[in-house]
Each structure stands twice: as C-alpha cells, then as structure tokens.
C-alpha cells in the first residue's frame, strides 16, 4: 500500500467504474517482479562473498569445513565481562545460526548461546575483531589472526545471504519477509482500507440494482398495457436502455465482488501462514525450555559429582586494607549476558575484624570471618558460663523414646506446564490463587512454622547462660538456623484451612510442646506457642504476604517472634527476613534470604543486628552471608557474629575497637580486634536420599507422621496432604478442590449469618479461634494472638467436641 499502481493492461484488465483501483492480478505481478529483483540481488551478493572468501583464504582452517559449506566450526575469543575479558569458545555456524560452546564436548548437551544471522548485523572493528548484533543481543568476537578473521567473516556473510534467501522463498506471495515488520503493519492497514472500499462499491451497486430493477419492472408493466404501435416502440426503446444500464451495473458489481474475494483469499492465506509461523515459534520455545531444563538437571548432577574440595574453596586471608580477595567463581558464571549485575560494595559491612590471638595473621574482612576458626571451636572466655563442646552439634542430646520414621514415599515425577498456570498469577496474592499440589510439598504452613524448632538445643543452652550478651549470641544463632532448611526447599507448603491446628509433642524426648493454629484466612495468619521445661517459652503470630513478580516470588513474613527465658526474665523480640524464590519460569529454582534482623532484649535493652546479604554476582562475600554485631544497652559492641544461613554461625568476642581509615566508599569503618571465633551452630546433614524426599530434614520427615490422640483438625489428618505424601497427586488435587470449596461455603454461610444479625440489630463477633485469643503485646504495642490454654488438657481427656469439622 502507499505505492503508485501501474496502468493495467492485457486481457485481465478490470477497473471498477466507481473507483479507479488497480486490479489484483497487476498487483501480484508487480510484487513477483520485486521479489525476483531482490532474490537476484542476494544471489549477486552471495557470489561476491564467495569470490572474496576464495581470494582471502585459499585453504580452510584445520579441522573445519571451508567457508561456503553448510557447517563451519572453529575457536574464537568471545568477550564475557569486565572481570574475565575475552574467553576462548568453540563456535559452530550451521543453517544460518551461529552457536557457541565452552568446549567441543559441550556440543552434545549444552549450548551457551545462539544468534540468527538472517536478522544479524555483521561489523568488523579492526584487524581481528568481529561484532555480531541481532535485536538486543551482541557478540564481540576476536580471531587469533587476520586471515582467520576473514575466513569467519566470509562464512558469516554467506550464511546470512543464504538465510535471507530461504526466508524470501518461504514468505507469502502478498506479503514482505517479516510478519511483524513495520512494512507489514502498513500493508495490513492498506489492505483493510482496500477491503472497506470494495464493501462500499458493493453497497453502491446494490442500491443501483434495486433502483434500476424497479424502473425496469415499471416499464415492462407499461409495455403490456400499450395498444398503439408508435407508442409501443418508444416504450420498448426505454426498456432496452434501462436493461442495458442494469447490465452494466450488474457487471460492475460482479467485478467488485471478484476483486473482494481475490483479496480476501490471498490475505487469508497470508494470515494462515502468519498463524502457522507463530505456532512454530511457540513449539520451538517449548522445546528450548525443555532443553534448558534438561541442561540444568545435567549441570546439577555434574555439580554433585564434583569432590567437596573442588567447590568448597578455602577463604584467602586479605591484606591490611580489609578488602578480601575475590573468591573463585564457578566457571558457569561468566557467560550469561542476561545476568543481573550489582555493585560489588553496595552491602559491604561497616566494620573490619582483626584476630588478636595470632599476630602473624593478616587483617581479615568480615566476609572471611566464618572461615577463621579453622579447627575445633574454643571456649568463649574464662567467664563463659554456658560453653559446650563441639560434640553437642553432632546430633541430638537425647535419644528419643519412640522410634520416628526416617523416610517417606519418594516424590513422583509429574510433568506440569508451569507457565500456563503462573502467567495468570502475576501481581496477585499467592494465597488467593488455586494452585495444584504439583507445586506443593506434603507439609502445611503450620508444620513449616514448627520446623523453626529444628535446633531447639540452642535455646536450651541459652537458658543456662548467666551472661545476657552470650545468651543473645545463641538466640541470634537460633534465629538464623530456622532458614537452614529452606536452601533446597523450593516447593510451596499447603495453605492451612481456617481452624486447622498442628501439635508437636516432644515433652518426653526434648522437653517441649508446640501448638499452631490457623487463626485467620484473609489475610492468612497462624499463631504458634512453644513451652519448654528447660527454661524458655516461644510464641509468634506470622502472616505470610507473597507476590509473584514474573521472574521471582517474594515471601514476606509479617509479625514478631517472642522468646522469654524463665530464670532471668530476658524477653527477646525479632522479625523474619524476606525469602525470594528465583527462576520461577525457566531454570533451576533457588532460594535467597535478604534483609535485616534486629533482635532486642527488652529487659536489658541489649541488641543484635544481623544482616542477610542478598546474592550478588560481583560481591566479594561468600554466598548466603550473615554478619552481625551484639551490643549492650549503651551501644558498645561486644561480639561479632558471622557465618552463612545454610551452614553455620560463629561468634568472636571483641577485645578492642578503633576507628579505621576511610574505605573505597568514602565511609569510615570500625576496626574490631577479636579473639578466635567460636562455633555457635552447625547445620545437621540431610538424611540419605533427601533429594527424592523433597529435601526434608530429619525433623521434617517426622512432622506428618501419624499419631494417635491428636485433634481432628490436626494437619496430619488433612486428606489431600496425606494423598500427596503417598504419591497419589491426581486424587490429592480433587480432594484439595473439595476442601477449598467446603471452606468457601462455610465462609459464605458465616457472612450470611452476620448480615442477618446486623439487619436484626444483633451483634456478631465473627470467627474466633479455639485455642488462641487476641491480646495487646506489652513490648511492641501490637495486637497479636496468644495461647489461652486448654489444648493439652483437652488432649488428655480426648474432648474435641468444640472443634470445627474442616476436613
């Protein structure tokens, strides 16, 4: 459209008497001539490239076909990033696509990137450099010699010309090459205008046919009534004239209909090809995603087969500047151009530590403190009243009276189209989205909340501490330990039903009892209370706010955690950090924790500030880093805490502090001189075959174990969760829908009762939890749900008549 049509000629010439629109056959001839000229130009360009390739490189590189053949392979240097610069990569040119691999062996399983030469721009910067750009992707390549560079340029130009020629041959007769190009949009608009014009022609012809048909009918009627021969001749003449006019109008209408149909048929074929192209692209995308998933699984298996010393690189002591040496990155991290980069120093700690016990050691940064202890942990100091030996972290301090299960049915291998479900969830509250059990693990959120007690020994030990600052260190280690079970746990726990409960009675084994209840559904909130005979009580109310952001899922726990020690009366309060699940759509799911935890002892006003550093590509710190400082009520630092939230935490007593010189950020950092760090907490190893059992820890494997005497609202009795654990996922999905519909019906009935009571002027309290009630917290001033008692007494009597029927 927008081009001046040449005059029509030949036997196929059809011009409407209403509009001077060129006929379709002429347009098609013009477009065929244009494509013929374009194809000839491409052929001439290909021949020129071939002649240049023959003159520039008479012999191909060893081991690679000559430029101009279907496949061309060889080594080139590819720019990766500013840290590693150019890296040697194996490139393969085939079928108009340039792909690269780290080694030749990777061609069998892992492609690092591909660029389509049909839409690529090829540029040469200097004697050995090649720049390829297509869309938003750019490859900066460098050959070893100028001759090798010329060979590659020749091969790339030939492949590009061939790819363009193939696209021209596959394009439709009535369209240009790219279905989504700018010229296509203008042509589609022009086609729509032409079709509208033809419709107007048909409408006008219809009106004329009706008008002249009526006149012809009247003339024929008058002809029948005539008796005079002379007058009859005039009438017959008029009839003939009108019949001729009718014939011309009919012919014009037929021609317009023919043009309209031809246009509709040709563009219908084009639209069908465009649709077919989109279907092929979608199929190709699905195959690519499947291949990526297989490659990630292969890489994960290869990573697990690597010896431990190959991945656990020891930390290198730093120079006196306090900036740690950059740890060795895995080789896989230097490639992806889509990697999100961050400032390396944006979250660096505001202090530097120096170990005072070993003068020969260099000054260490806080990022390397976790590796400073090296051997067996030492005692805190001579005044330590709660020190323990390293054997305390090798396992539980008491053998359980009852043998607990050590395994569950293995996770079945169910395929699921993740994107088809998640694409409609962007920006929505996760708790309001109906999700199949395929995304879940066979535990409820109440049971996951109970998993915070995995390392309850830390609180037992803290209860024996007479020094509140040392007690604070153990409480801080306990707050970090609750995240150690999440490092591989990417599945979603079941959302508890309103009124659902979960008890964990370990009174005889470890001296504590735990009770959770779902006290609210919108927003979802759970109340938790733990009482220990070893001198402490813990309670919390947690509301989970979660948002799906497309590439990642943010989980934000809201609510405070309270911990009180009976002997000293020390009352600690802290809040959880944000958890982020990355690679939701494509790739291997992984979890990161980020944010700050501020622990406050409200009795002594002592504080602990813990910082969970988010993962950063350029960060000098170890992954999953946690660092903190324990301070007294006057703000003076006494202990440095350091470690990772998935492995261990250490503490180092500060013996001296001073203001250091300004850092590279321009901020003045505090230099802390400390004793040798001591191990506070170490993660228990996962059970054997944990990767096939949802990566459950030893405690998590026992949480859904059947027990007698529990309340009939207990999560262990939830049928959909039980079916999922048994591997019957299809039945679990059906049961899950039934339970959710039953809960919605109960809520509608409760809302109807509330509306009726309001209309009658009666009060309505709404839903009230059975074992918890709302109270104003004296420490924080917030209104929270706290345990009001009665559950364990009801369990002894087996009196559950007041409990709702939710299952």
């Amino acid at each position: 459209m927008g081009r001046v049509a040449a005059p029509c000629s030949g036997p196929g010439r059809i011009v409407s008497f209403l509009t001077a629109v060129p006929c379709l056959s002429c347009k098609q001839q013009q477009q065929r001539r244009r494509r013929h000229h374009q194809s000839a130009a491409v052929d001439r360009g290909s021949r020129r490239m071939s002649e240049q390739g023959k003159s520039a490189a008479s012999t191909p590189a060893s081991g690679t076909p000559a430029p101009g053949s279907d496949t061309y392979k060889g080594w080139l240097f590819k720019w990766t990033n500013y840290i590693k610069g150019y890296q040697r990569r194996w490139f393969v040119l085939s079928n108009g696509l340039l792909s690269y691999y780290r080694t030749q062996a990777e061609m069998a399983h892992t492609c690092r990137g591909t660029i389509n030469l049909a839409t690529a721009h090829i540029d040469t910067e200097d004697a050995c450099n090649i720049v390829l750009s297509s869309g938003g992707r750019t490859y900066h390549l460098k050959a070893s010699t100028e001759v090798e560079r010329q060979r590659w340029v020749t091969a790339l130009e030939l492949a590009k010309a061939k790819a363009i020629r193939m696209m021209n041959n596959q394009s439709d007769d009535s369209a240009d090459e790219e279905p989504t190009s700018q010229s296509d949009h203008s042509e589609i608009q022009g086609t729509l205008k032409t079709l509208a014009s033809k419709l107007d022609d048909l409408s006008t012809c219809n009106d004329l046919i009706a008008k002249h048909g009526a006149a012809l009918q009247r003339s024929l009627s008058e002809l029948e009534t005539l008796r005079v021969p002379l007058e009859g001749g005039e009438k017959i003449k008029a009839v003939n004239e009108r019949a001729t006019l009718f014939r011309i109008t009919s012919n014009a209408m037929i021609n317009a209909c023919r043009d309209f149909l031809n246009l509709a048929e040709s563009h219908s074929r084009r639209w069908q090809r465009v649709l077919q192209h989109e279907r092929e692209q979608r199929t190709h995308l699905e195959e690519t995603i499947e291949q990526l998933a297989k490659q990630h699984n292969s890489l994960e298996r290869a990573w697990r087969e690597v010896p431990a010393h190959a991945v656990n690189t020891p930390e290198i002591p730093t120079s006196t500047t306090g900036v740690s040496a950059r740890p060795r990155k895995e080789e896989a991290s230097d490639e992806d151009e889509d990697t999100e980069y961050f400032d390396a120093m944006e979250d660096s700690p505001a202090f530097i530590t120096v170990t005072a016990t070993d003068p020969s050691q260099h000054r260490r940064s806080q990022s390397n403190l976790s590796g400073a202890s090296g051997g067996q942990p030492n005692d805190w100091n001579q005044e330590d009243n709660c020190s323990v030996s390293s054997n305390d972290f090798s396992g539980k301090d008491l053998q359980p009276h009852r043998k607990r299960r050590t395994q569950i049915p293995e996770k079945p291998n169910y395929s699921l189209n993740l994107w088809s479900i998640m694409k409609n969830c962007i920006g929505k509250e996760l708790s309001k989205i109906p999700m199949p059990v395929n995304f879940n693990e066979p535990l409820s959120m109440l049971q996951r909340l109970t998993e915070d007690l995995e390392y309850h020994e830390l609180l037992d030990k803290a209860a024996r501490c007479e020094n509140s600052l040392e007690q604070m260190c153990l409480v801080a280690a306990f707050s970090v330990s609750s995240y150690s079970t999440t490092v591989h746990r990417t599945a979603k726990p079941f959302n508890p039903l309103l009124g659902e409960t979960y008890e964990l009675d370990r009174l005889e084994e470890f001296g504590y009892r735990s009770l959770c209840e779902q006290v609210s559904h919108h927003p979802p909130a759970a109340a938790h209370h733990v009482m220990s005979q070893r001198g402490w009580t813990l309670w919390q109310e947690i509301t989970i706010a979660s948002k799906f952001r497309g590439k990642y899922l943010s989980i934000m726990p809201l609510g405070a955690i309270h911990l009180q020690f009976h002997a000293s009366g020390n009352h600690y309060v802290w809040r959880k950090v944000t958890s982020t699940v990355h690679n939701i759509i494509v790739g291997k799911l992984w979890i990161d924790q980020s944010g700050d935890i501020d622990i406050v002892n409200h009795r002594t006003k002592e504080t602990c500030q813990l910082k969970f550093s988010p993962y950063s590509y350029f960060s000098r710190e170890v992954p999953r880093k946690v660092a903190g400082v324990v301070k007294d009520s006057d703000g003076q630092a006494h202990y440095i805490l350091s470690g990772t939230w998935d492995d261990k935490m250490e503490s180092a007593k500060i013996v001296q502090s001073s203001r250091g010189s300004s850092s590279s950020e321009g901020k003045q950092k505090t230099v802390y001189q400390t004793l040798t760090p001591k191990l506070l907490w170490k993660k228990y190893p996962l059970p054997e075959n944990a990767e096939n059992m949802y990566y459950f820890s030893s405690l998590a494997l026992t949480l859904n174990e059947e027990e007698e005497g529990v309340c009939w609202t207990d999560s262990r009795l939830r049928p959909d969760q039980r079916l999922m654990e048994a591997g019957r996922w299809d039945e679990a999905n059906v049961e899950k829908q039934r339970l959710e519909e039953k809960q919605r019906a109960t809520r509608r009935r409760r809302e109807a009762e509330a509306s009726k009571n309001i209309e009658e002027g009666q009060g309505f309290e709404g839903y009230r939890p059975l074992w918890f009630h709302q109270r104003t917290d004296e420490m924080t001033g917030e209104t929270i749900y706290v345990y009001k008692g009665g559950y364990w007494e009801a369990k002894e009597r087996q009196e559950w008549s007041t409990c709702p029927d939710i299952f």
Side-chain angles (χ1 to χ4, degrees), residues 632-760:
D632 60 19
S633 58
D634 297 327
Q636 182 178 354
H638 288 263
Y639 289 95
I640 294 295
L641 304 180
S642 179
T644 57
W645 53 263
D646 68 323
D647 186 25
K648 63 181 180 180
M649 286 295 294
E650 295 173 333
S651 66
K653 184 174 179 60
I654 298 173
V655 295
Q656 187 177 353
S657 63
S658 61
R659 302 298 293 179
S661 59
S662 298
S663 66
S664 58
E665 298 174 291
K667 300 177 182 178
Q668 193 175 30
K669 293 192 175 185
T670 303
V671 178
Y672 292 122
Q673 198 173 32
T674 66
L675 299 177
T676 302
K678 174 191 173 181
L679 185 66
L680 287 175
W681 158 75
K682 178 72 175 175
K683 179 186 176 182
Y684 298 134
L686 288 175
E688 184 180 358
N689 198 33
E691 63 274 9
N692 295 322
M693 297 186 296
Y694 308 90
Y695 286 98
F696 280 179
S697 64
S698 298
L699 174 63
L701 289 173
T702 67
L703 293 180
N704 209 41
E705 189 176 16
E706 295 184 7
E707 290 191 12
E708 297 181 358
V710 299
C711 180
W712 60 48
T713 58
D714 197 273
S715 299
R716 298 177 179 88
L717 305 178
R718 181 167 174 165
D720 55 347
Q721 184 174 306
R722 182 64 60 187
L723 287 169
M724 183 197 175
E725 184 184 86
R728 300 156 62 184
W729 285 15
D730 293 334
E731 299 175 52
N733 278 318
V734 175
E735 191 67 19
K736 184 173 183 288
Q737 293 181 5
R738 182 190 69 82
L739 291 176
E740 292 174 349
E741 181 56 37
K742 181 178 181 179
Q743 181 174 235
R744 284 189 287 266
T746 303
R747 186 180 70 249
R748 288 193 295 267
R749 184 168 58 252
R750 190 182 301 114
E751 291 173 351
E753 293 177 0
S755 300
K756 180 179 179 182
N757 290 346
I758 292 175
E759 291 176 357
E760 296 175 355

Side-chain angles (χ1 to χ4, degrees), residues 536-711:
W536 54 271
T537 301
L538 182 145
W539 67 95
Q540 59 181 323
E541 180 195 335
I542 297 296
T543 300
I544 301 296
S546 54
K547 291 290 184 180
F548 176 57
R549 302 296 185 183
K551 288 185 178 181
Y552 61 91
L553 175 70
S554 295
I555 303 172
M556 297 151 287
L558 308 177
I561 303 173
H562 295 257
L563 173 65
Q564 188 171 25
F565 292 98
H566 304 161
S568 63
N570 290 333
H571 189 148
Y572 297 88
V573 179
W574 70 92
R575 300 176 188 271
K576 290 180 175 289
V577 297
T578 299
S579 301
T580 306
V581 184
H582 294 272
N583 291 346
I584 292 294
I585 302 303
V586 178
K588 177 70 175 179
L589 293 175
W590 61 280
I591 291 182
D592 193 22
Q593 315 288 348
S594 60
D596 297 332
I597 290 182
D598 294 328
I599 307 176
V600 180
N601 184 345
H602 284 272
R603 189 184 73 85
T604 63
K605 305 305 178 183
E606 296 164 347
T607 61
C608 175
Q609 297 175 336
L610 291 173
K611 183 175 187 60
F612 288 65
S613 300
Y615 175 79
S616 175
Y617 183 83
F618 280 125
S619 176
R620 293 184 175 90
E621 298 181 354
V622 295
R624 308 182 184 97
K625 174 68 180 175
V626 181
V629 182
V630 175
K631 300 180 180 179
D632 60 19
S633 58
D634 297 327
Q636 182 178 354
H638 288 263
Y639 289 95
I640 294 295
L641 304 180
S642 179
T644 57
W645 53 263
D646 68 323
D647 186 25
K648 63 181 180 180
M649 286 295 294
E650 295 173 333
S651 66
K653 184 174 179 60
I654 298 173
V655 295
Q656 187 177 353
S657 63
S658 61
R659 302 298 293 179
S661 59
S662 298
S663 66
S664 58
E665 298 174 291
K667 300 177 182 178
Q668 193 175 30
K669 293 192 175 185
T670 303
V671 178
Y672 292 122
Q673 198 173 32
T674 66
L675 299 177
T676 302
K678 174 191 173 181
L679 185 66
L680 287 175
W681 158 75
K682 178 72 175 175
K683 179 186 176 182
Y684 298 134
L686 288 175
E688 184 180 358
N689 198 33
E691 63 274 9
N692 295 322
M693 297 186 296
Y694 308 90
Y695 286 98
F696 280 179
S697 64
S698 298
L699 174 63
L701 289 173
T702 67
L703 293 180
N704 209 41
E705 189 176 16
E706 295 184 7
E707 290 191 12
E708 297 181 358
V710 299
C711 180

Side-chain angles (χ1 to χ4, degrees), residues 28-48 164-165 168-169 177:
Q28 293 175 344
Q29 291 174 7
Q30 294 169 8
Q31 291 171 351
R32 282 194 290 269
R33 285 195 295 269
R34 275 199 306 275
R35 283 192 296 274
H36 175 72
H37 294 324
Q38 292 173 354
S39 179
V42 172
D43 291 337
R44 289 193 298 272
S46 300
R47 287 194 295 271
R48 285 197 302 270
I164 293 175
R165 187 164 61 252
N168 287 334
N169 293 337
E177 298 166 6

